[in-house]
């Protein structure tokens, strides 16, 4: 080998290159550690150039302090992003460096739509479930209540939007919506009425069973509301009819008044759009149910 001039030259050139690279790396490291590159500030702004409503500088400082370190060159931007996204009300964050000593953090806030479940969590308008101070969420208006199996958040959100449009012709607005573990839907309206809509049986986009049930209710609701005050619950899980419970009526299967506080009456599909005369209220404090 020592007699091979070409091999010796190649080895020498390789060693020189390594030394040069080591010197360059050491120089870069030395420069990067200079005080001028110490992070002086972290600027927070909104991703959409709108004022942040619920994320304050104090909240951010308390939430991210101690979760990342380094200077302009060595700070791990992924760690910074994760730290900011762990702060309540922060949905998404992006981080970039700004020469020579600043980080720019752009934040997207959660926009609450309602509560989720019974553990105090919130559902955003984009279908994200998150944890934050509930008192900060309902400062403008009461929040609708949502519930459903894990992973059904976006499905519940989409159905809520549909129900709002479907009930609009009778000036009713959903206040809560729940999807049971058996995937049965129940909606509470702003007049206090609870409507059981049951399970979605047909997933064909051309045949929406839920929509048909709501449309059937909307069609007869003005007549029901005019004749049966204070309706408490309506069960739409019947193919051609409905069942309801309301205060102020006492009726039997043959239309006669009953002494019991709660009674039921059945009607054929052909009479689903009218209420028997016997169902008219006798006393406002009594309670009964009718089924169509």
């Amino acid at each position: 080998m020592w007699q091979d001039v070409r091999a010796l030259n190649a080895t020498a050139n390789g060693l020189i290159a390594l030394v040069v690279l080591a010197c360059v790396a050491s120089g870069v490291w030395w420069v990067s550690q200079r005080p001028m590159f110490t992070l002086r500030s972290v600027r927070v702004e909104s991703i959409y150039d709108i004022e942040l409503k619920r994320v304050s500088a104090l909240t951010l400082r308390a939430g991210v302090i101690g979760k990342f370190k380094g200077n302009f060159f060595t700070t791990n931007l992924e760690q910074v992003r994760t730290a900011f996204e762990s702060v309540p009300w922060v949905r998404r964050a992006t981080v970039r460096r700004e020469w020579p000593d600043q980080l720019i953090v752009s934040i997207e806030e959660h926009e609450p739509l309602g509560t989720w479940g019974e553990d105090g969590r919130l559902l955003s308008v984009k279908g994200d479930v998150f944890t934050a101070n509930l008192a900060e969420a309902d400062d403008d208006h009461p929040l609708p209540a949502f519930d459903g199996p894990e992973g059904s958040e976006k499905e519940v959100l989409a159905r809520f939007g549909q129900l709002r449009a479907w009930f609009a012709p009778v000036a009713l607005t959903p206040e809560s919506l729940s999807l049971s573990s058996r995937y049965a839907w129940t909606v509470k309206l702003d007049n206090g009425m609870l409507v059981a809509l049951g399970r979605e049986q047909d997933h064909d986009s051309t045949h929406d069973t839920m929509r048909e049930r709501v449309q059937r209710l909307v069609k007869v609701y003005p007549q029901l509301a005019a004749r049966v005050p204070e309706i408490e619950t309506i069960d739409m899980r019947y193919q051609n009819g409905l069942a309801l419970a309301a205060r102020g009526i006492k009726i039997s299967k043959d239309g006669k008044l009953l002494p019991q506080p709660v009674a039921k009456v059945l009607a054929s599909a052909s009479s689903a759009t009218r209420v028997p005369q016997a169902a008219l209220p006798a006393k406002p404090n009594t309670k009964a149910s009718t089924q169509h």
Side-chain angles (χ1 to χ4, degrees), residues 101-261:
D101 56 5
Q102 185 173 226
L103 294 182
I104 309 297
V105 182
S106 300
I107 287 178
E108 178 187 0
E109 283 184 311
H110 283 294
E111 183 178 348
L113 175 63
T115 61
W116 182 266
E118 299 179 354
D119 55 1
R121 291 182 298 169
L122 293 164
L123 179 69
S124 76
V125 296
K126 295 188 176 181
D128 300 317
V129 174
F130 63 101
T131 302
N133 187 351
L134 187 59
E136 297 176 356
D138 58 0
D139 51 354
D140 297 326
H141 54 80
L143 297 175
F146 301 95
D147 198 5
E150 184 177 354
S152 66
E153 296 87 358
K154 288 182 171 55
E155 182 181 0
V156 172
L157 177 62
R159 185 61 78 181
F160 180 73
Q162 292 174 332
L163 288 170
R164 292 185 64 176
W166 295 344
F167 279 107
V170 288
L172 294 175
T173 303
E175 280 190 346
S176 69
L177 179 63
S178 64
L179 180 62
S180 73
S181 58
R182 300 186 63 184
Y183 287 85
W185 295 91
T186 303
V187 59
K188 183 178 181 181
L189 303 173
D190 58 349
N191 64 350
M193 187 170 65
L194 197 67
V195 182
L197 294 170
R199 300 176 64 180
E200 179 58 77
Q201 297 176 350
D202 194 337
H203 296 281
D204 186 350
S205 60
T206 63
H207 183 72
D208 194 328
T209 305
M210 288 278 292
R211 183 172 185 173
E212 289 179 356
R213 290 171 182 162
V214 174
Q215 288 177 336
R216 182 154 44 88
L217 173 58
V218 167
K219 183 178 180 181
V220 303
Y221 179 74
Q223 299 179 54
L224 290 175
R227 293 195 169 204
V228 185
E230 300 184 63
I231 300 175
E232 294 180 336
T233 62
I234 293 183
D235 191 341
M236 297 302 300
R237 295 173 296 178
Y238 297 87
Q239 185 174 0
N240 295 311
L242 58 85
L244 65 83
R247 294 183 180 275
I249 57 174
K250 293 179 179 180
I251 49 179
S252 67
K253 184 174 180 179
D254 56 6
K256 295 180 179 179
L257 295 178
L258 293 175
Q260 292 90 340

Side-chain angles (χ1 to χ4, degrees), residues 59-119:
T59 303
L60 289 172
R61 188 178 299 111
V64 304
I65 189 168
K67 293 187 177 181
F68 62 89
K69 58 183 179 180
N71 61 18
F72 180 80
F73 291 106
T74 61
T75 297
N76 187 317
L77 297 187
E78 182 64 19
Q79 287 184 351
V80 178
R81 182 190 65 80
T82 301
F84 275 91
E85 289 184 351
S86 68
V87 175
W89 293 108
V90 176
R91 178 178 186 267
R92 181 166 62 95
T94 61
V95 186
R96 71 179 187 274
R97 294 181 173 91
E98 185 168 282
W99 182 267
D101 56 5
Q102 185 173 226
L103 294 182
I104 309 297
V105 182
S106 300
I107 287 178
E108 178 187 0
E109 283 184 311
H110 283 294
E111 183 178 348
L113 175 63
T115 61
W116 182 266
E118 299 179 354
D119 55 1

